Amino acid sequence: MISACLFDLDGVLVDTAVYHYKAWRRLAAELGFEFTEEHNEALKGVSRMASLDILLDTGGVRERYSAGEKEEMAARKNGWYVEYISRMTASEILPGVTSFLDELKTKGIKIALGSASKNAGLILENTGLGGYFDAVVDGSMVSEAKPDPQVFLLGAELTGTPPAQCVVFEDAEAGIEAARRAGMRSVGVGGSPTLRKADTLIPGFVGFTFEDLTKRID
Ligand code: BG6
Ligand code: MG
């Protein structure tokens, strides 16, 4: 039985990965090294400070900077990122997402957000997605990042749903693992081979219905 659907935000409902990438690449350029789209794959689903460490390792410069300098760099990256997402509109919601959310609402299925991002509120507001959610859990509400299950367990609690009746939609390996640790089923969204541990995989939401979901996960 499925009573609630819990959604990751970046890469599942909206394509913000491109803005994260632009901002990280700009930081790398200022620090004097190149950061490719391929390098960027390793940052998906990863918290801001952990992402910075991965980026600095890519440039082979992590040891050069103090904790304070790293805080400043993360803030600089976030400033650019916020500039980009401030201009987001509903046109950047990924295809098929709103039809699927509308269907869940009609069927009385609870909808929650489980995102690592501290900018989730701004994105929900600018895209108009906020109104769909019975509960929103973002990076400012949890102490442990995915793959820790905290973000999804809190989403389940806030919607009053037992974890076994929750399904998580994720585009990152850490998120699929977080769902598993939370005792929830998961749907891997997108084509990444790193999602193979998900209970089922979909390329995206176009044409995907609640009936399809219940056929794959009961
Ligand atoms: C995740 C993204 O949703 O949020 C990561 O996939 C990002 O790329 C993380 O680093 C934290 O986001 P923010 O907006 O708090 O820096
Ligand atoms: Mg994601």
Side-chain angles (χ1 to χ4, degrees):
M1 183 181 153
I2 299 169
S3 307
C5 288
L6 278 54
F7 295 88
D8 174 50
L9 178 65
D10 295 316
V12 170
L13 302 178
V14 286
D15 188 14
T16 38
V18 54
Y19 298 129
H20 279 297
Y21 174 53
K22 272 176 79 173
W24 284 127
R25 193 182 51 188
R26 192 163 161 184
L27 179 69
E30 285 195 359
L31 298 176
F33 60 90
E34 200 193 342
F35 191 68
T36 66
E37 226 163 315
E38 205 178 336
H39 291 136
N40 189 60
E41 278 304 302
L43 308 191
K44 288 189 177 167
V46 177
S47 73
R48 194 181 305 166
M49 293 312 287
S51 295
L52 176 63
D53 278 340
I54 297 172
L55 177 123
L56 294 175
D57 279 342
T58 308
V61 297
R62 192 201 304 201
E63 310 313 324
R64 268 189 223 168
Y65 299 104
S66 67
E69 284 167 324
K70 289 206 270 183
E71 286 292 341
E72 181 281 321
M73 286 179 205
R76 212 185 322 159
K77 178 266 172 180
N78 192 55
W80 296 320
Y81 179 67
V82 168
E83 239 174 70
Y84 302 140
I85 61 172
S86 299
R87 295 192 285 262
M88 275 181 93
T89 64
S91 66
E92 285 165 88
I93 298 170
L94 286 167
V97 163
T98 47
S99 321
F100 186 62
L101 294 177
D102 280 331
E103 191 194 358
L104 295 180
K105 273 255 162 290
T106 310
K107 297 210 154 67
I109 306 297
K110 294 267 190 266
I111 304 174
L113 190 84
S115 170
S117 174
K118 294 181 173 155
N119 294 301
L122 179 60
I123 296 169
L124 293 183
E125 195 184 315
N126 285 355
T127 56
L129 278 170
Y132 282 103
F133 293 92
D134 298 294
V136 171
V137 184
D138 68 18
S140 62
M141 294 165 74
V142 291
S143 55
E144 298 297 325
K146 300 169 190 175
D148 189 280
Q150 206 182 34
V151 67
F152 294 133
L153 288 173
L154 186 55
E157 193 185 318
L158 293 174
T159 58
T161 315
Q165 292 173 24
C166 293
V167 176
V168 168
F169 290 79
E170 259 291 351
D171 72 323
E173 188 179 10
I176 298 294
E177 176 59 15
R180 195 191 64 77
R181 292 192 201 169
M184 299 174 185
R185 271 80 53 80
S186 62
V187 179
V189 184
S192 171
T194 59
L195 301 177
R196 62 188 174 278
K197 289 196 184 141
D199 292 290
T200 188
L201 294 169
I202 58 171
F205 289 94
V206 174
F208 185 69
T209 63
F210 187 65
E211 196 189 337
D212 295 331
L213 179 64
T214 52
K215 274 190 198 148
R216 290 164 182 234
I217 286 172
D218 46 24

